[in-house]
Amino acid sequence: QVQLVESGGGLVQAGGSLRLSCAASGSIFSLYSMGWYRQAPGKQRELVARVSSGRGTIYADSVKGRFTISRDNAKNTVYLQMNSLKPEDTAVYYCNQVKGGENYWGQGTQVTVSA
């Protein structure tokens, strides 16, 4: 069974940086696309970034040039480096893996950006 555990969230001032980590188990990590999503209060969950098994990446327009997704297959971990954070980046951030047509999610980590 796939398990995803996020860490690295917290409170940061606008303009600051955070790095989120997601440790995966229960699958052959290197075979699968991994993603970061976020959900702000009262809003739908939205894609932030994805990285394919071949390390191709896609980003939401709102984070392009500020966020970088990467993966370390030796550590079964995906990262999200977030720079130049804005108050509108405040949300719970979730790690995602799609395996066999099923979506797997972590428990989420809170990111709060103060003005």
Side-chain angles (χ1 to χ4, degrees):
Q1 184 174 353
V2 175
Q3 290 190 324
L4 304 172
V5 180
E6 302 100 334
S7 60
L11 173 64
V12 64
Q13 289 188 331
S17 298
L18 284 173
R19 188 175 83 153
L20 305 183
S21 300
C22 171
S25 60
S27 66
I28 304 174
F29 179 79
S30 61
L31 295 181
Y32 300 103
S33 169
M34 299 295 298
W36 286 98
Y37 290 71
R38 68 186 181 187
Q39 188 166 17
K43 295 188 176 181
Q44 289 190 330
R45 192 171 296 189
E46 64 176 3
L47 172 69
V48 176
R50 291 203 68 88
V51 58
S52 71
S53 58
R55 300 181 190 274
T57 57
I58 60 171
Y59 294 93
D61 287 344
S62 58
V63 307
K64 281 181 182 176
R66 300 188 298 122
F67 291 10
T68 302
I69 189 171
S70 62
R71 64 190 299 158
D72 185 337
N73 290 338
K75 295 182 178 180
N76 288 0
T77 300
V78 61
Y79 303 99
L80 186 69
Q81 178 66 44
M82 306 186 294
N83 299 328
S84 303
L85 282 160
K86 304 176 180 180
E88 52 263 43
D89 295 318
T90 295
V92 178
Y93 283 70
Y94 296 91
C95 181
N96 169 266
Q97 183 184 91
V98 180
K99 177 186 174 187
E102 287 201 36
N103 274 294
Y104 294 89
W105 299 95
Q107 82 285 355
T109 186
Q110 176 70 46
V111 171
T112 303
V113 184
S114 62

